[in-house]
Amino acid sequence: MHIGEKGILSIIVPVFNVERFLKRGIDSLIYYEKNDNEIILIDDGSEDKSGSICDWYAEKYENIHVIHQKNKGVSSARNEGIKIAKGEYISFFDPDDYVDGTFYSQMLQKLQKNKLDIVFSGYQMEDANGNKTIIKEERLEIISNNIKPQMIFVERDLKNTSMAVVWRSVFRMDIIKKNHIMFDEELTLNEDQIFLLRYLNYCSKYDYLEGNSYHYCLNEQSATGKLYKKGLLEERKKYIRKMEDVLIDSSKKYSLENEEIVNRIKYRTAKEIISNEMRYNRSQKNFKELRKNIGRYFLDSKALIQMIRDCCKPQISIIILLAKLKAYNIIYFIYGLKWYNNELSKEIIFK
């Protein structure tokens, strides 16, 4: 099969300062699969040797293409890949991850055989020391029973991190092109979730591929791997607005169910922002920003009522209620208590 033939899969790989992992990732795309997939490497202004590594692969393999651009972020890089991709199907691969087996062949086969609009995969998580954890996702597996995946991906699971990500799926290019679905370049976090939910608005057939051939590798240098997330408050304000837009668009009305989802996201996001500042950047200047914004954008009365209905853990509810009262000096003290901080750390925040 040659580039441009019907049925080809285009794999978009955004690349930024990942020279330590890049060869492993690209090799996994090449050696385990037939070389008939189109691989598009978008060098997003890398300052290390990532760009030259991309060029080396492009010179050696005719199905690998490289675009070099100034640093604009992962959303911009993926959008550039979408613009030039020639495949009937498309997938997005993170360069610090890797796949084994015939991962993409299996995904594509399932999608084509069952005439699906999208297929999701299982995965395993791997830390910096190579320790692997197979992620069991019972909620995702029910997609096979024609349960709408929007309601699964829109919220964080209480027992696991929300994995509303694009690297675990194969998409149909015609749906993306016809409905002008692109990554939101205003966001630096959760851009995957917004893209996925917009895409799912136009899907009627979906399924789940069992197995764990995708290795999601924790990289402390990535946007999601850094402990302190600078500018998180402003980023989450944009995120809440985008989520409201997506949910309204998906139902054409603001249903009670969607309102509950938004309110749940609001108070959990407030908890995430507070934890981000109290654990990693205990600055009185930043506390002023929390006082000014948390109650206004994240903790309105409906969000608080939803928190009470959800019967949140007391440790979380206390923090949220104190934030609503702007009692950040008390919150500051609580986060300094080792036993309390240990309880709070059990809560997994959005990635």
Side-chain angles (χ1 to χ4, degrees):
M1 186 181 293
H2 299 285
I3 302 300
E5 278 193 25
K6 182 177 176 62
I8 193 174
L9 172 66
S10 295
I11 303 174
I12 310 300
V13 186
V15 176
F16 178 71
N17 291 352
V18 286
E19 63 177 353
R20 288 173 52 197
F21 314 102
L22 187 55
K23 290 183 179 180
R24 180 188 65 181
I26 298 176
D27 285 347
S28 74
L29 299 180
I30 296 171
Y31 296 146
Y32 289 107
E33 300 278 351
K34 296 178 180 178
N35 286 337
D36 52 17
N37 292 330
E38 177 185 41
I39 300 173
I40 302 176
L41 307 174
I42 312 294
D43 172 28
D44 188 39
S46 295
E47 299 168 343
D48 60 5
K49 296 179 182 178
S50 296
S52 59
I53 293 173
C54 291
D55 289 335
W56 184 87
Y57 278 96
E59 291 176 4
K60 188 173 181 179
Y61 299 93
E62 64 176 11
N63 63 314
I64 297 181
H65 308 282
V66 178
I67 293 178
H68 298 279
Q69 66 176 32
K70 293 181 179 179
N71 180 246
K72 299 178 182 179
V74 64
S75 291
S76 171
R78 286 171 173 164
N79 286 341
E80 289 303 312
I82 291 173
K83 291 175 185 177
I84 68 167
K86 299 177 182 177
E88 184 178 352
Y89 307 97
I90 190 168
S91 188
F92 304 93
F93 176 80
D94 284 355
D96 46 359
D97 298 340
Y98 66 98
V99 295
D100 54 30
T102 52
F103 173 73
Y104 286 108
S105 296
Q106 294 178 58
M107 294 279 282
L108 195 58
Q109 181 180 21
K110 191 173 187 70
L111 190 146
Q112 292 176 318
K113 181 179 179 180
N114 299 301
K115 297 182 180 180
L116 304 175
D117 296 320
I118 185 172
V119 60
F120 304 93
S121 75
Y123 69 100
Q124 54 185 298
M125 188 176 292
E126 186 170 325
D127 65 20
N129 297 319
N131 300 314
K132 301 175 183 178
T133 303
I134 294 177
I135 307 301
K136 181 66 175 177
E137 299 177 289
E138 294 178 358
R139 293 183 67 192
L140 186 54
E141 291 174 3
I142 64 176
I143 286 178
S144 300
N145 299 323
N146 290 323
I147 303 299
K148 289 186 177 180
Q150 284 97 327
M151 295 303 102
I152 296 175
F153 287 128
V154 79
E155 298 180 73
R156 179 194 60 180
D157 190 324
L158 293 176
K159 295 182 180 179
N160 197 359
T161 302
S162 173
M163 295 306 289
V165 289
V166 295
W167 46 254
R168 67 185 308 160
S169 298
V170 173
F171 304 81
R172 280 176 43 192
M173 182 64 84
D174 62 331
I175 292 179
I176 291 175
K177 294 289 189 179
K178 179 180 179 180
N179 299 289
H180 309 288
I181 304 169
M182 302 292 276
F183 287 89
D184 196 316
E185 297 184 20
E186 289 186 21
L187 297 176
T188 59
L189 294 169
N190 287 98
E191 66 281 347
D192 282 30
Q193 186 182 46
I194 300 299
F195 178 92
L196 182 62
L197 293 175
R198 285 174 175 163
Y199 183 89
L200 290 172
N201 287 341
Y202 304 98
C203 295
S204 58
K205 293 192 69 176
Y206 24 76
D207 207 345
Y208 174 79
L209 179 70
E210 294 185 5
N212 307 98
S213 295
Y214 193 103
H215 295 252
Y216 170 64
C217 300
L218 299 175
N219 172 13
E220 68 276 7
Q221 297 302 316
S222 68
T224 57
K226 295 177 182 178
L227 291 178
Y228 178 66
K229 297 179 174 63
K230 187 177 180 180
L232 183 64
L233 191 149
E234 290 300 319
E235 182 70 19
R236 289 314 193 200
K237 284 164 61 175
K238 291 186 289 184
Y239 167 67
I240 291 293
R241 187 178 72 251
K242 304 287 184 182
M243 283 298 297
E244 289 177 322
D245 290 343
V246 170
L247 291 172
I248 292 172
D249 289 343
S250 66
S251 63
K252 304 303 179 184
K253 62 180 180 179
Y254 207 71
S255 68
L256 179 61
E257 183 180 48
N258 285 353
E259 186 175 13
E260 289 177 354
I261 290 169
V262 170
N263 289 329
R264 190 169 291 122
I265 291 173
K266 281 183 178 179
Y267 77 73
R268 287 177 175 171
T269 302
K271 161 60 177 56
E272 178 194 11
I273 295 169
I274 294 168
S275 293
N276 183 61
E277 297 299 337
M278 294 293 177
R279 286 182 185 169
Y280 309 119
N281 191 35
R282 292 159 70 84
S283 161
Q284 290 296 330
K285 179 182 178 181
N286 287 340
F287 295 173
K288 292 180 181 178
E289 290 299 308
L290 295 181
R291 291 189 184 97
K292 180 180 177 181
N293 290 281
I294 290 289
R296 179 180 178 184
Y297 292 100
F298 304 98
L299 297 178
D300 54 30
S301 59
K302 291 183 178 180
L304 292 175
I305 291 172
Q306 188 63 49
M307 180 187 72
I308 295 171
R309 287 175 178 169
D310 290 345
C311 298
C312 278
K313 292 181 179 180
Q315 296 90 342
I316 307 304
S317 298
I318 290 171
I319 294 297
I320 295 300
L321 293 174
L322 287 172
K324 181 64 176 177
L325 296 172
K326 300 183 179 181
Y328 283 93
N329 288 332
I330 299 176
I331 297 175
Y332 182 95
F333 173 76
I334 289 175
Y335 268 84
L337 298 176
K338 184 176 181 180
W339 69 270
Y340 205 99
N341 210 20
N342 287 339
E343 288 299 313
L344 289 169
S345 67
K346 296 176 182 177
E347 285 287 310
I348 302 175
I349 61 177
F350 288 109
K351 292 196 72 178

